Amino acid sequence: MVELGAPILRKIADPVDDVFSQDTSNLIRGMVDVLTQQKGIGLAAPQVGVKKQVFIVAPEQIMQRPFDDISTGLVVINPTIEFNTKTVTYEWEGCLSIPGIRGKVPRQCDITIQYTNIHGELRKERYSGFTARIFCHEFDHLNGVLFLDRLEDIKTQLVTDRFYATMVEEDYK
């Protein structure tokens, strides 16, 4: 797992030329393993040290073959995103490459994404809310952008995971 400070996290990822190549298969298999081990909900290829336009979205932390459905983990290759609204929402986000901290990130969370799936099929789908936020976060990784770059005020919008947990507990009391 590549962490904050690694130069690859600031580079623009290259398109995948061959969805069915051994390199692509190995990359996806490795990413699925890392995401499962880390109990994450999203992971981009640059986070495992590979400068390719691939990410995985798994909002329920479920990864089951064939990795082509949002409910069981979706592999996204060579994506483009279109924003369907100008409305911005703020939610807390974390990142496997920036362990231990969270930020309250502004995002447009109504998107249409076009991508190639693991079977080489071109897909176009619309997502909103939390799931769209994951897509946007991972898409940022493909463009060398981290959630920290999107924070408007580090003094009030950046906390440790430990402090975040106490905030969540307070919300439920």
Side-chain angles (χ1 to χ4, degrees):
M1 175 59 73
V2 174
E3 292 189 7
L4 182 64
I8 194 166
L9 292 176
R10 294 305 191 167
K11 298 193 185 297
I12 296 174
D14 300 321
V16 172
D17 295 323
D18 183 357
V19 173
F20 303 109
S21 74
Q22 192 62 50
D23 286 344
T24 303
S25 295
N26 291 342
L27 170 61
I28 292 167
R29 191 174 314 112
M31 289 176 66
V32 168
D33 290 347
V34 168
L35 189 64
T36 303
Q37 290 165 2
Q38 296 290 320
K39 296 183 172 89
I41 57 174
L43 183 70
Q47 293 180 273
V48 295
V50 179
K51 201 176 93 159
K52 288 293 183 181
Q53 291 182 14
V54 178
F55 65 75
I56 300 173
V57 176
E60 304 300 324
Q61 293 183 337
I62 298 170
M63 289 302 303
Q64 296 174 345
R65 290 192 180 278
F67 311 126
D68 65 358
D69 186 273
I70 196 67
S71 66
T72 56
L74 182 64
V75 174
V76 175
I77 302 168
N78 298 336
T80 60
I81 289 182
E82 175 185 327
F83 297 97
N84 300 319
T85 181
K86 292 192 185 315
T87 303
V88 173
T89 60
Y90 293 76
E91 293 294 335
W92 292 99
E93 293 182 19
C95 181
L96 295 174
S97 291
I98 310 172
I101 60 173
R102 293 181 185 261
K104 197 160 195 177
V105 181
R107 292 203 188 268
Q108 295 165 289
C109 291
D110 182 356
I111 63 168
T112 299
I113 183 164
Q114 186 168 314
Y115 65 96
T116 301
N117 72 6
I118 198 168
H119 308 295
E121 302 164 332
L122 188 61
R123 296 262 180 100
K124 188 172 185 176
E125 299 165 353
R126 187 170 182 167
Y127 293 98
S128 61
F130 179 67
T131 302
R133 181 171 289 278
I134 301 168
F135 275 93
C136 292
H137 178 107
E138 300 310 328
F139 186 78
D140 274 355
H141 277 297
L142 303 184
N143 291 293
V145 176
L146 301 174
F147 81 84
L148 298 173
D149 302 327
R150 297 209 175 270
L151 299 180
E152 294 173 352
D153 181 6
I154 290 178
K155 291 179 182 177
T156 61
Q157 295 177 329
L158 189 66
V159 298
T160 63
D161 279 349
R162 190 168 154 188
F163 184 76
Y164 174 78
T166 61
M167 289 176 14
V168 171
E169 283 178 22
E170 291 297 317
D171 287 344
Y172 288 105
K173 285 185 179 180

mmCIF file with all atom_site columns, all heavy atoms in Angstrom, residues 32-48:
data_model
loop_
_atom_site.group_PDB
_atom_site.id
_atom_site.type_symbol
_atom_site.label_atom_id
_atom_site.label_alt_id
_atom_site.label_comp_id
_atom_site.label_asym_id
_atom_site.label_entity_id
_atom_site.label_seq_id
_atom_site.pdbx_PDB_ins_code
_atom_site.Cartn_x
_atom_site.Cartn_y
_atom_site.Cartn_z
_atom_site.occupancy
_atom_site.B_iso_or_equiv
_atom_site.pdbx_formal_charge
_atom_site.auth_seq_id
_atom_site.auth_comp_id
_atom_site.auth_asym_id
_atom_site.auth_atom_id
_atom_site.pdbx_PDB_model_num
ATOM 1   N N   . VAL A 1 32 ? -7.877  -6.278  -5.464  1.00 0.00 ? 32 VAL A N   1
ATOM 2   C CA  . VAL A 1 32 ? -8.971  -6.932  -4.727  1.00 0.00 ? 32 VAL A CA  1
ATOM 3   C C   . VAL A 1 32 ? -8.436  -7.470  -3.398  1.00 0.00 ? 32 VAL A C   1
ATOM 4   O O   . VAL A 1 32 ? -9.067  -7.292  -2.349  1.00 0.00 ? 32 VAL A O   1
ATOM 5   C CB  . VAL A 1 32 ? -9.621  -8.049  -5.567  1.00 0.00 ? 32 VAL A CB  1
ATOM 6   C CG1 . VAL A 1 32 ? -10.537 -8.919  -4.715  1.00 0.00 ? 32 VAL A CG1 1
ATOM 7   C CG2 . VAL A 1 32 ? -10.390 -7.454  -6.743  1.00 0.00 ? 32 VAL A CG2 1
ATOM 8   N N   . ASP A 1 33 ? -7.269  -8.092  -3.428  1.00 0.00 ? 33 ASP A N   1
ATOM 9   C CA  . ASP A 1 33 ? -6.671  -8.622  -2.199  1.00 0.00 ? 33 ASP A CA  1
ATOM 10  C C   . ASP A 1 33 ? -6.394  -7.509  -1.191  1.00 0.00 ? 33 ASP A C   1
ATOM 11  O O   . ASP A 1 33 ? -6.724  -7.637  -0.005  1.00 0.00 ? 33 ASP A O   1
ATOM 12  C CB  . ASP A 1 33 ? -5.367  -9.369  -2.502  1.00 0.00 ? 33 ASP A CB  1
ATOM 13  C CG  . ASP A 1 33 ? -5.589  -10.686 -3.229  1.00 0.00 ? 33 ASP A CG  1
ATOM 14  O OD1 . ASP A 1 33 ? -6.753  -11.164 -3.284  1.00 0.00 ? 33 ASP A OD1 1
ATOM 15  O OD2 . ASP A 1 33 ? -4.601  -11.236 -3.763  1.00 0.00 ? 33 ASP A OD2 1
ATOM 16  N N   . VAL A 1 34 ? -5.806  -6.410  -1.654  1.00 0.00 ? 34 VAL A N   1
ATOM 17  C CA  . VAL A 1 34 ? -5.487  -5.290  -0.755  1.00 0.00 ? 34 VAL A CA  1
ATOM 18  C C   . VAL A 1 34 ? -6.766  -4.685  -0.175  1.00 0.00 ? 34 VAL A C   1
ATOM 19  O O   . VAL A 1 34 ? -6.866  -4.455  1.031   1.00 0.00 ? 34 VAL A O   1
ATOM 20  C CB  . VAL A 1 34 ? -4.655  -4.210  -1.475  1.00 0.00 ? 34 VAL A CB  1
ATOM 21  C CG1 . VAL A 1 34 ? -4.574  -2.934  -0.650  1.00 0.00 ? 34 VAL A CG1 1
ATOM 22  C CG2 . VAL A 1 34 ? -3.265  -4.734  -1.797  1.00 0.00 ? 34 VAL A CG2 1
ATOM 23  N N   . LEU A 1 35 ? -7.747  -4.436  -1.035  1.00 0.00 ? 35 LEU A N   1
ATOM 24  C CA  . LEU A 1 35 ? -8.994  -3.831  -0.563  1.00 0.00 ? 35 LEU A CA  1
ATOM 25  C C   . LEU A 1 35 ? -9.675  -4.721  0.468   1.00 0.00 ? 35 LEU A C   1
ATOM 26  O O   . LEU A 1 35 ? -10.165 -4.245  1.491   1.00 0.00 ? 35 LEU A O   1
ATOM 27  C CB  . LEU A 1 35 ? -9.935  -3.554  -1.746  1.00 0.00 ? 35 LEU A CB  1
ATOM 28  C CG  . LEU A 1 35 ? -11.169 -2.732  -1.419  1.00 0.00 ? 35 LEU A CG  1
ATOM 29  C CD1 . LEU A 1 35 ? -10.793 -1.326  -0.958  1.00 0.00 ? 35 LEU A CD1 1
ATOM 30  C CD2 . LEU A 1 35 ? -12.093 -2.662  -2.619  1.00 0.00 ? 35 LEU A CD2 1
ATOM 31  N N   . THR A 1 36 ? -9.672  -6.024  0.226   1.00 0.00 ? 36 THR A N   1
ATOM 32  C CA  . THR A 1 36 ? -10.279 -6.974  1.160   1.00 0.00 ? 36 THR A CA  1
ATOM 33  C C   . THR A 1 36 ? -9.510  -6.991  2.487   1.00 0.00 ? 36 THR A C   1
ATOM 34  O O   . THR A 1 36 ? -10.108 -6.917  3.556   1.00 0.00 ? 36 THR A O   1
ATOM 35  C CB  . THR A 1 36 ? -10.325 -8.381  0.529   1.00 0.00 ? 36 THR A CB  1
ATOM 36  O OG1 . THR A 1 36 ? -11.053 -8.315  -0.701  1.00 0.00 ? 36 THR A OG1 1
ATOM 37  C CG2 . THR A 1 36 ? -11.008 -9.373  1.456   1.00 0.00 ? 36 THR A CG2 1
ATOM 38  N N   . GLN A 1 37 ? -8.191  -7.067  2.414   1.00 0.00 ? 37 GLN A N   1
ATOM 39  C CA  . GLN A 1 37 ? -7.367  -7.085  3.628   1.00 0.00 ? 37 GLN A CA  1
ATOM 40  C C   . GLN A 1 37 ? -7.523  -5.808  4.450   1.00 0.00 ? 37 GLN A C   1
ATOM 41  O O   . GLN A 1 37 ? -7.582  -5.845  5.677   1.00 0.00 ? 37 GLN A O   1
ATOM 42  C CB  . GLN A 1 37 ? -5.892  -7.278  3.278   1.00 0.00 ? 37 GLN A CB  1
ATOM 43  C CG  . GLN A 1 37 ? -5.553  -8.635  2.754   1.00 0.00 ? 37 GLN A CG  1
ATOM 44  C CD  . GLN A 1 37 ? -4.170  -8.667  2.093   1.00 0.00 ? 37 GLN A CD  1
ATOM 45  O OE1 . GLN A 1 37 ? -3.443  -7.678  2.061   1.00 0.00 ? 37 GLN A OE1 1
ATOM 46  N NE2 . GLN A 1 37 ? -3.810  -9.823  1.555   1.00 0.00 ? 37 GLN A NE2 1
ATOM 47  N N   . GLN A 1 38 ? -7.593  -4.677  3.764   1.00 0.00 ? 38 GLN A N   1
ATOM 48  C CA  . GLN A 1 38 ? -7.677  -3.377  4.433   1.00 0.00 ? 38 GLN A CA  1
ATOM 49  C C   . GLN A 1 38 ? -9.100  -3.023  4.863   1.00 0.00 ? 38 GLN A C   1
ATOM 50  O O   . GLN A 1 38 ? -9.313  -2.016  5.530   1.00 0.00 ? 38 GLN A O   1
ATOM 51  C CB  . GLN A 1 38 ? -7.132  -2.275  3.520   1.00 0.00 ? 38 GLN A CB  1
ATOM 52  C CG  . GLN A 1 38 ? -5.668  -2.415  3.189   1.00 0.00 ? 38 GLN A CG  1
ATOM 53  C CD  . GLN A 1 38 ? -4.792  -2.143  4.382   1.00 0.00 ? 38 GLN A CD  1
ATOM 54  O OE1 . GLN A 1 38 ? -5.041  -1.245  5.176   1.00 0.00 ? 38 GLN A OE1 1
ATOM 55  N NE2 . GLN A 1 38 ? -3.748  -2.936  4.533   1.00 0.00 ? 38 GLN A NE2 1
ATOM 56  N N   . LYS A 1 39 ? -10.064 -3.837  4.435   1.00 0.00 ? 39 LYS A N   1
ATOM 57  C CA  . LYS A 1 39 ? -11.478 -3.590  4.724   1.00 0.00 ? 39 LYS A CA  1
ATOM 58  C C   . LYS A 1 39 ? -11.897 -2.196  4.229   1.00 0.00 ? 39 LYS A C   1
ATOM 59  O O   . LYS A 1 39 ? -12.591 -1.464  4.916   1.00 0.00 ? 39 LYS A O   1
ATOM 60  C CB  . LYS A 1 39 ? -11.764 -3.753  6.214   1.00 0.00 ? 39 LYS A CB  1
ATOM 61  C CG  . LYS A 1 39 ? -11.542 -5.162  6.709   1.00 0.00 ? 39 LYS A CG  1
ATOM 62  C CD  . LYS A 1 39 ? -11.892 -5.307  8.165   1.00 0.00 ? 39 LYS A CD  1
ATOM 63  C CE  . LYS A 1 39 ? -11.846 -6.737  8.583   1.00 0.00 ? 39 LYS A CE  1
ATOM 64  N NZ  . LYS A 1 39 ? -10.604 -7.241  9.049   1.00 0.00 ? 39 LYS A NZ  1
ATOM 65  N N   . GLY A 1 40 ? -11.467 -1.890  3.006   1.00 0.00 ? 40 GLY A N   1
ATOM 66  C CA  . GLY A 1 40 ? -11.778 -0.598  2.408   1.00 0.00 ? 40 GLY A CA  1
ATOM 67  C C   . GLY A 1 40 ? -13.028 -0.649  1.558   1.00 0.00 ? 40 GLY A C   1
ATOM 68  O O   . GLY A 1 40 ? -13.597 -1.718  1.311   1.00 0.00 ? 40 GLY A O   1
ATOM 69  N N   . ILE A 1 41 ? -13.438 0.536   1.110   1.00 0.00 ? 41 ILE A N   1
ATOM 70  C CA  . ILE A 1 41 ? -14.617 0.643   0.238   1.00 0.00 ? 41 ILE A CA  1
ATOM 71  C C   . ILE A 1 41 ? -14.238 1.137   -1.158  1.00 0.00 ? 41 ILE A C   1
ATOM 72  O O   . ILE A 1 41 ? -15.079 1.196   -2.040  1.00 0.00 ? 41 ILE A O   1
ATOM 73  C CB  . ILE A 1 41 ? -15.693 1.570   0.846   1.00 0.00 ? 41 ILE A CB  1
ATOM 74  C CG1 . ILE A 1 41 ? -15.133 2.964   1.117   1.00 0.00 ? 41 ILE A CG1 1
ATOM 75  C CG2 . ILE A 1 41 ? -16.291 0.927   2.094   1.00 0.00 ? 41 ILE A CG2 1
ATOM 76  C CD1 . ILE A 1 41 ? -16.168 3.975   1.575   1.00 0.00 ? 41 ILE A CD1 1
ATOM 77  N N   . GLY A 1 42 ? -12.979 1.471   -1.340  1.00 0.00 ? 42 GLY A N   1
ATOM 78  C CA  . GLY A 1 42 ? -12.499 1.897   -2.634  1.00 0.00 ? 42 GLY A CA  1
ATOM 79  C C   . GLY A 1 42 ? -10.987 1.871   -2.665  1.00 0.00 ? 42 GLY A C   1
ATOM 80  O O   . GLY A 1 42 ? -10.336 2.031   -1.624  1.00 0.00 ? 42 GLY A O   1
ATOM 81  N N   . LEU A 1 43 ? -10.449 1.635   -3.864  1.00 0.00 ? 43 LEU A N   1
ATOM 82  C CA  . LEU A 1 43 ? -8.996  1.578   -4.014  1.00 0.00 ? 43 LEU A CA  1
ATOM 83  C C   . LEU A 1 43 ? -8.660  1.856   -5.471  1.00 0.00 ? 43 LEU A C   1
ATOM 84  O O   . LEU A 1 43 ? -9.287  1.290   -6.377  1.00 0.00 ? 43 LEU A O   1
ATOM 85  C CB  . LEU A 1 43 ? -8.468  0.191   -3.622  1.00 0.00 ? 43 LEU A CB  1
ATOM 86  C CG  . LEU A 1 43 ? -6.959  0.000   -3.668  1.00 0.00 ? 43 LEU A CG  1
ATOM 87  C CD1 . LEU A 1 43 ? -6.279  0.786   -2.543  1.00 0.00 ? 43 LEU A CD1 1
ATOM 88  C CD2 . LEU A 1 43 ? -6.605  -1.478  -3.565  1.00 0.00 ? 43 LEU A CD2 1
ATOM 89  N N   . ALA A 1 44 ? -7.668  2.711   -5.690  1.00 0.00 ? 44 ALA A N   1
ATOM 90  C CA  . ALA A 1 44 ? -7.208  3.039   -7.041  1.00 0.00 ? 44 ALA A CA  1
ATOM 91  C C   . ALA A 1 44 ? -5.815  2.462   -7.269  1.00 0.00 ? 44 ALA A C   1
ATOM 92  O O   . ALA A 1 44 ? -5.022  2.330   -6.335  1.00 0.00 ? 44 ALA A O   1
ATOM 93  C CB  . ALA A 1 44 ? -7.190  4.550   -7.237  1.00 0.00 ? 44 ALA A CB  1
ATOM 94  N N   . ALA A 1 45 ? -5.516  2.132   -8.530  1.00 0.00 ? 45 ALA A N   1
ATOM 95  C CA  . ALA A 1 45 ? -4.231  1.526   -8.874  1.00 0.00 ? 45 ALA A CA  1
ATOM 96  C C   . ALA A 1 45 ? -3.020  2.320   -8.361  1.00 0.00 ? 45 ALA A C   1
ATOM 97  O O   . ALA A 1 45 ? -2.060  1.704   -7.872  1.00 0.00 ? 45 ALA A O   1
ATOM 98  C CB  . ALA A 1 45 ? -4.144  1.307   -10.384 1.00 0.00 ? 45 ALA A CB  1
ATOM 99  N N   . PRO A 1 46 ? -3.013  3.662   -8.434  1.00 0.00 ? 46 PRO A N   1
ATOM 100 C CA  . PRO A 1 46 ? -1.851  4.375   -7.889  1.00 0.00 ? 46 PRO A CA  1
ATOM 101 C C   . PRO A 1 46 ? -1.596  4.082   -6.404  1.00 0.00 ? 46 PRO A C   1
ATOM 102 O O   . PRO A 1 46 ? -0.455  4.174   -5.945  1.00 0.00 ? 46 PRO A O   1
ATOM 103 C CB  . PRO A 1 46 ? -2.204  5.848   -8.124  1.00 0.00 ? 46 PRO A CB  1
ATOM 104 C CG  . PRO A 1 46 ? -3.092  5.818   -9.332  1.00 0.00 ? 46 PRO A CG  1
ATOM 105 C CD  . PRO A 1 46 ? -3.924  4.570   -9.140  1.00 0.00 ? 46 PRO A CD  1
ATOM 106 N N   . GLN A 1 47 ? -2.635  3.712   -5.675  1.00 0.00 ? 47 GLN A N   1
ATOM 107 C CA  . GLN A 1 47 ? -2.467  3.408   -4.256  1.00 0.00 ? 47 GLN A CA  1
ATOM 108 C C   . GLN A 1 47 ? -1.709  2.105   -4.016  1.00 0.00 ? 47 GLN A C   1
ATOM 109 O O   . GLN A 1 47 ? -1.267  1.850   -2.901  1.00 0.00 ? 47 GLN A O   1
ATOM 110 C CB  . GLN A 1 47 ? -3.823  3.343   -3.559  1.00 0.00 ? 47 GLN A CB  1
ATOM 111 C CG  . GLN A 1 47 ? -4.532  4.678   -3.507  1.00 0.00 ? 47 GLN A CG  1
ATOM 112 C CD  . GLN A 1 47 ? -5.865  4.541   -2.816  1.00 0.00 ? 47 GLN A CD  1
ATOM 113 O OE1 . GLN A 1 47 ? -6.853  4.220   -3.452  1.00 0.00 ? 47 GLN A OE1 1
ATOM 114 N NE2 . GLN A 1 47 ? -5.867  4.771   -1.508  1.00 0.00 ? 47 GLN A NE2 1
ATOM 115 N N   . VAL A 1 48 ? -1.586  1.283   -5.052  1.00 0.00 ? 48 VAL A N   1
ATOM 116 C CA  . VAL A 1 48 ? -0.779  0.065   -4.946  1.00 0.00 ? 48 VAL A CA  1
ATOM 117 C C   . VAL A 1 48 ? 0.474   0.184   -5.815  1.00 0.00 ? 48 VAL A C   1
ATOM 118 O O   . VAL A 1 48 ? 1.111   -0.802  -6.148  1.00 0.00 ? 48 VAL A O   1
ATOM 119 C CB  . VAL A 1 48 ? -1.587  -1.216  -5.281  1.00 0.00 ? 48 VAL A CB  1
ATOM 120 C CG1 . VAL A 1 48 ? -2.690  -1.436  -4.257  1.00 0.00 ? 48 VAL A CG1 1
ATOM 121 C CG2 . VAL A 1 48 ? -2.140  -1.189  -6.697  1.00 0.00 ? 48 VAL A CG2 1
#
